Amino acid sequence: MNAPAVIMLSASFLLLSLTAALAASAASAAPRRSYATVPGHPCIRSLEGTADAMSDLAEAHPSLASVITIGDSYLRENPGGAEANGAFPAGGYALKALVLTNGDAATASADKARVLIVAGHHPRELGPPELVLRFAERLLAGHGADAETTALLDRTEISLVFHANPDGRHVAEARRDLMWRKNANGGEDSS
């Protein structure tokens, strides 16, 4: 049997797709728990708020969602390896992904198409991680209620990385005055 296709989507494509989906579901969205947000941006969850939301989604939908660790941030691999006026987190972060698929579906996991969506490369660009998180919420809320969403999660495994650069996002949230756009590697290739 052929290996399943791996599909990568750009943030631009995702933004166009999500805008319509979010607008359609906004009126019917269930109230959600309050999460920590980025200072000055009450509609955008912070690094901590995103992590809490990921855990809550996996807990609320155990047959559809799971949180996995996919690696370590630069500062977790290189403790003390960066300086940004003391704004970097001590010890870095584990890189996490939220994996969405129907574990109870008839389609075997090995035969499902795989989609990888990665956001949060540039930490001061606050919107993309929130958009991807809302996309995940929409998919989970739609499973069993919307035929297309149900079919998508039954036949596909969607891995969502909300913050590809959590060290940098920490700086962007803690020190808005720095307008931090890079990762924690202080070398020439750090942007």
Side-chain angles (χ1 to χ4, degrees), residues 29-191:
R32 67 175 189 225
R33 159 188 141 157
S34 179
Y35 294 101
T37 61
V38 175
H41 300 280
C43 62
I44 298 175
R45 283 168 273 199
S46 66
L47 196 56
E48 176 188 339
T50 301
D52 290 345
M54 287 174 66
S55 295
D56 287 352
L57 289 172
E59 185 178 317
H61 304 277
S63 66
L64 297 173
S66 61
V67 177
I68 62 170
T69 299
I70 59 171
D72 292 324
S73 70
Y74 177 81
L75 287 179
R76 182 162 271 193
E77 289 184 358
N78 303 280
E83 293 182 29
N85 298 326
F88 276 113
Y93 292 90
L95 296 177
K96 304 276 187 176
L98 181 66
V99 180
L100 305 181
T101 191
N102 183 358
D104 297 334
T107 304
S109 180
D111 295 330
K112 291 184 177 184
R114 289 177 171 78
V115 177
L116 172 63
I117 300 172
V118 181
H121 299 85
H122 300 139
R124 71 178 179 208
E125 296 168 4
L126 305 174
E130 181 67 26
L131 285 172
V132 175
L133 184 52
R134 291 183 189 201
F135 178 60
E137 292 169 339
R138 162 78 166 71
L139 289 175
L140 292 170
H143 188 269
D146 175 73
E148 289 180 359
T149 302
T150 301
L152 178 67
L153 290 178
D154 287 353
R155 299 179 188 147
T156 309
E157 180 180 288
I158 304 170
S159 297
L160 307 167
V161 179
F162 302 106
H163 295 286
N165 180 4
D167 299 331
R169 177 63 178 251
H170 179 95
V171 174
E173 290 181 14
R175 291 288 308 273
R176 298 296 309 264
D177 59 308
L178 294 176
M179 294 296 292
W180 197 259
R181 186 177 184 271
K182 302 190 262 183
N183 59 28
N185 179 355
E188 290 181 21
D189 299 327
S190 67
S191 64

